[in-house]
Amino acid sequence: MDEMERANFGSKLGVILATAGSAVGLGNVWRFPYMAGENGGAVFIIIYVACVLLLGIPCMISEFIVGRHGQSNTARAYRKLADGTPWALIGYMGVLTGFLITGYYAVVSGWCLQYVWASLIGHLQGDPEYFKTYFAELSGHPVKPVLWTVIILTLTYLIIEHGVRDGIERASKLLMPTLFILLLIIVGASCMLPGAEKGVEFLFKPDFKKITGDVFLSALGQSFYSLSIAMGCLCTYASYFSKHTNLTRSATQIAVIDCLVAILAGLMIFPAAFSVGVNPDSGPSLIFITLPNVFQQAFAAIPVAGYVVSLLFFVLLSLAALTSLMSLHEVSTAFVQEELHTTRKWAAAAVTIATSIIGAFCSLSLGAVDGLTFLGRSLFDWFDFVTGQIFLPIVGFLTCIFLGWFAEHRVVRDEFTNFGTLRGSLFHTYIFLIKYVCPLAILLIFLHQFGLLS
Ligand code: PHE
């Protein structure tokens, strides 16, 4: 596609909602609450917000700069800025990370759809033991989760195939406000339960004795994941921004929305959990095992309310997953379309098929098929580990170093200030952060993950 006729988001709101749609996802509704639960509640949230503002936003701006300057898929965008140097490899790694994570993210998104269905037909009712078995049976089933994975990827395909404006932007404008309204409804219901104040207190009343290095580094890791940093998504979406989009302001708005949704997700889950005496630190199973139980018990007096809240909740989770999946899918679709010179339809179809296969294998590795476990980790865990804990920090780190130290300074400044039309008074702060603070912080998370720093 010629640069002149490259697709664009049609409006500022479209830019914000689509990119916020990428950021707001399972990371906010599923991962953030259990991370906050395991890491001391309010203190985690304070550190998390600080990480988003100080480190997340500059990293986001960096990817926007590469993407908008490149006006192309992530690999080509880095290649353009790298000007023949090996820094171009970061772009390929970003695309690969985005591609690999799509299939695995689709599996968890598929579970959400299955839970929507189960809520709808009234299968999400029973005692705590039942919910445990239900989840174990679902995730280890040879057919069902694979089918749901393919269904959600097909849905994503149907949106993506319509292009940037009619597909991604239009869907985001519909899905994001819906998600926000559903969230507010459930927060309201949850906070009205008896004993809900304890949950609110857990989220907002910091106990500074709980701060440890662990809390700090978990918050840092979570902030990067939640903002969709280093997966090629931000870079790809930024290539659809217009040259008038204010990158700093957009990054700030998206980060604020992302934080807000994460905190609201906490406000939806903890008051209900405390109200029925469930521990907030039950880990990744919080949403799929603990929560249906919490909703059921909390609304025992009015079973219809329990039914509705549970259904709304899983619809919300699926919508959040879908908008993130769209951005992940778009990374590879734009790559295939532009590098292999295919039509958008073909590119999207090829990516859907390839990621469905990855997703199917990831799903089957959770118990249905033996032999998909290597070195004690299932294929599913491997994808999670390699993308989230190895590729993400490497791509994020290299992007900061590249833009801060090696890329043409004039290009970075031009993009930051929209070619001098914005004052860019924060430019020096931004450069300082990506030159020193962000790479150092990412290095710390990386070492921490491998136990090299405790
Ligand atoms: N940020 C998304 C979330 O919070 C996850 C994601 C990561 C999506 C990377 C796209 C790319 O769930």
Side-chain angles (χ1 to χ4, degrees), residues 1-7 71 76 337-338 341 344:
M1 192 187 285
D2 188 299
E3 269 185 27
M4 292 308 287
E5 49 180 284
R6 185 174 173 76
Q71 289 292 301
R76 191 179 294 186
Q337 183 189 352
E338 291 170 8
H341 306 288
R344 187 169 175 86

Side-chain angles (χ1 to χ4, degrees), residues 107 111 135-143 145-146 360-373 377-381:
V107 174
W111 295 342
F135 182 66
E137 267 174 16
L138 164 71
S139 54
H141 197 277
V143 183
V146 176
F361 276 104
C362 283
S363 176
L364 293 174
S365 75
L366 290 176
V369 173
D370 291 337
L372 290 176
T373 300
R377 248 182 233 269
S378 65
L379 198 63
F380 181 94
D381 290 340

Side-chain angles (χ1 to χ4, degrees), residues 22-28 101 105 225-228 231 233 324 327-328:
S22 166
V24 171
L26 297 171
N28 302 60
I101 210 174
Y105 199 85
Y225 180 84
S226 188
L227 294 175
S228 304
M231 304 274 178
C233 296
S324 294
S327 72
L328 284 167

